[in-house]
Amino acid sequence: MKTVHHPATSRGGSHHGWLKSKHTFSFADYYDPKRVGFGALRVINDDHVEGGMGFGDHSHANMEIISIPLSGRLRHGDSMGNYGTIRSGEIQVMSAGTGVVHSEMNDDDENPVKFLQIWVVPNKMDVAPRYQQVNLVELLQRNKFNQVLSPNPEDAGVWIHQNAWFSIGEFDKGVTTTYSLRSTLNGAYVFVISGKVVINGNTLEPRDGLGITDTKNFTMDVIEDAQIIVIDVPMSF
């Protein structure tokens, strides 16, 4: 097993008054040649948007864009005619494909919205743009890695154009559990939303990340109650 540890304090960031954003990987004005993604995973942005503010209309193409609200309400609109709000406990995916224009705004005028935006490089270029939003509450069982994204439209959760799987779990202190990678061609990127865990001797705290390769599985010891996301992606594509 090989690992690369990205402490939360090592992330890049941008602050624009209304926006506080931390970048696990190179993004916008933050560039580190050692942090240009992890396989097909290109972006993990940890965004805090003040009340009534947000990202106005902007375009994307040929990228799988996943948004996971952590608190508050995020209002979405796009050139495909999709309009709505996503909240904690939901997941949204947009396959940008040949091109789409969208906006992301805080749906609350007073309280901030906090969300993760994750980008994955697709395995098919120039597909027709698509949008999907799913409530995950019934899928999330405590002390388990719960699959919320896959390559398969028939699966529970959302799907994308890539051999990638996302799993989310909330774990109690003292739990030890094992995650098995879905493909021998994949690595796993573990991002700690909250709490503290240990994986292969690496102690991970809130917003730390750990890239794991050259293994079929890994074991995680939960030191403090924790919420975890595992992003299981091809390392070559």
Side-chain angles (χ1 to χ4, degrees):
M1 182 188 299
K2 294 181 181 178
T3 60
V4 56
H5 185 192
H6 295 149
T9 53
S10 71
R11 297 179 296 173
S14 57
H15 297 272
H16 302 287
W18 60 272
L19 168 68
K20 300 179 182 71
S21 184
K22 289 292 186 181
H23 311 315
T24 294
F25 301 110
S26 295
F27 184 85
D29 295 333
Y30 165 61
Y31 178 73
D32 180 341
K34 296 180 180 179
R35 301 274 286 267
V36 185
F38 175 81
L41 172 62
R42 277 292 177 262
V43 168
I44 301 178
N45 285 351
D46 184 3
D47 290 338
H48 171 121
V49 177
E50 294 295 337
M53 305 300 288
F55 303 92
D57 288 346
H58 57 286
S59 61
H60 297 284
N62 288 322
M63 191 64 68
E64 303 293 312
I65 300 170
I66 300 98
S67 295
I68 302 174
L70 303 178
S71 64
R73 305 192 307 268
L74 185 66
R75 187 171 72 249
H76 169 91
D78 64 46
S79 54
M80 295 177 281
N82 299 296
Y83 297 94
T85 301
I86 56 173
R87 298 169 173 81
S88 177
E90 296 182 304
I91 187 171
Q92 174 202 80
V93 63
M94 189 173 67
S95 299
T98 54
V100 66
V101 175
H102 79 137
S103 63
E104 297 159 298
M105 306 295 294
N106 188 339
D107 197 46
D108 189 317
D109 289 336
E110 297 182 1
N111 301 304
V113 60
K114 300 179 182 181
F115 66 102
L116 300 178
Q117 186 165 107
I118 302 169
W119 294 9
V120 175
V121 179
N123 57 15
K124 296 179 181 177
M125 297 291 113
D126 298 324
V127 300
R130 59 176 291 272
Y131 175 88
Q132 189 180 13
Q133 177 179 335
V134 172
N135 189 310
L136 301 175
V137 172
E138 293 185 359
L139 297 181
L140 300 181
Q141 299 181 48
R142 198 163 184 86
N143 295 320
K144 291 183 62 176
F145 290 112
N146 304 281
Q147 179 181 297
V148 298
L149 176 149
S150 81
N152 307 308
E154 299 82 10
D155 283 359
V158 295
W159 67 276
I160 63 172
H161 297 282
Q162 185 53 274
N163 292 322
W165 289 260
F166 288 17
S167 296
I168 294 176
E170 294 185 349
F171 297 91
D172 295 327
K173 177 181 178 179
V175 167
T176 295
T177 188
T178 298
Y179 178 89
S180 297
L181 278 74
R182 302 306 184 95
S183 168
T184 57
L185 302 177
N186 284 17
Y189 195 87
V190 178
F191 186 81
V192 178
I193 297 171
S194 63
K196 183 187 291 188
V197 301
V198 175
I199 300 172
N200 196 37
N202 296 277
T203 299
L204 308 177
E205 299 189 344
R207 271 43 176 196
D208 287 357
L210 186 72
I212 302 168
T213 55
D214 295 345
T215 187
K216 294 181 179 179
N217 55 58
F218 64 86
T219 297
M220 180 179 78
D221 298 313
V222 183
I223 308 304
E224 296 176 1
D225 289 1
Q227 185 178 21
I228 308 293
I229 181 169
V230 178
I231 302 170
D232 188 330
V233 290
M235 297 308 295
S236 299
F237 51 95

